[in-house]
Amino acid sequence: MSFRPADFRHAVLGAAVALTFALSAGAVMAQNAKPAAASSAAPAAAGSAAAPAAAAPAEAATAAVKPGDATAGQGKAAVCGACHGIDGNSADPQYPKLAGQHEAYIARQLTNFKAAKRQNPIMLGMASPLSEQDMHDIGAYFATKVSRPGVADEALVEHGQKLYREGDVERGIPACMACHLTDGRGNPGAGYPQLAGQHAQYVEATLKSWHDGTVWGDDAHAQIMPAIAKKLDAKDITALASYIEGLHSADSGDTATAAP
């Protein structure tokens, strides 16, 4: 078989064209493959970045404060017994009774003490090491206890009862029972504490303090009682304090002189 020079030149030219086409096609395929690889890698990177964010709400939920545990609170409240009584019924009238008080209210006051929004050197020291959960546990424990009713001074009952039940419209004094209820059990949902059976000495000192400008916090709720107390005179405060100490519900199991 003979091979002419012209055929040789055509063969070489065809091979060169074929090689050039192959190289061009390979380059195009490589360029197309790079974005695909990058795009396939992107979701993985995004997925890795999103993982911590997705876990954050779960961790926050775990760290959230749970409703108070009275059993856990009993041990935590042991130190409180020195002043407030082991069952929350303090023997010394300068210290308030905590028995039967609402969990949320106790937790709120401990928070105020810890933040120094409510000034008391002793309670600042007691509240400072407590976590929010500790405060709710302690509150839950005292909420399970029963406050022992005291005795009202009969000479002050009429005056105290009128203010507690009716207030004084002319002086802009609202009835105490509007927030603290007829039997003095308070309204936990609205944040109003139980008053029934509280020591008259403690109530009187507290009302005088509010009257003189003391405020337990910096929110609107904390402004309510100081504003009311400013409208009370010394006789009003003494009568109300006495009436509140003798205040108790019919099922308290005690026959102390009171005027609910």
Side-chain angles (χ1 to χ4, degrees), residues 55 74 181 230 237:
Q74 182 174 6
L181 305 188
K230 288 181 186 302
I237 290 175

Side-chain angles (χ1 to χ4, degrees), residues 74 77-90 141-142 145:
Q74 182 174 6
V79 67
C80 308
C83 295
H84 299 282
I86 196 63
D87 65 346
N89 284 286
S90 59
Y141 168 70
F142 284 119
K145 302 305 175 183

Side-chain angles (χ1 to χ4, degrees), residues 121-193:
I122 296 176
M123 285 307 304
L124 173 62
M126 293 294 183
S128 291
L130 299 177
S131 68
E132 190 175 356
Q133 187 64 61
D134 292 334
M135 296 176 186
H136 278 273
D137 290 344
I138 291 171
Y141 168 70
F142 284 119
T144 66
K145 302 305 175 183
V146 178
S147 176
R148 300 192 197 120
V151 179
D153 183 341
E154 292 186 7
L156 301 174
V157 166
E158 184 177 355
H159 186 182
Q161 179 173 267
K162 182 175 177 58
L163 285 172
Y164 189 89
R165 290 177 174 271
E166 302 175 25
D168 189 324
V169 177
E170 292 183 0
R171 290 190 289 160
I173 301 171
C176 305
M177 74 176 198
C179 295
H180 300 282
L181 305 188
T182 307
D183 62 359
R185 296 303 173 189
N187 185 340
Y192 300 125

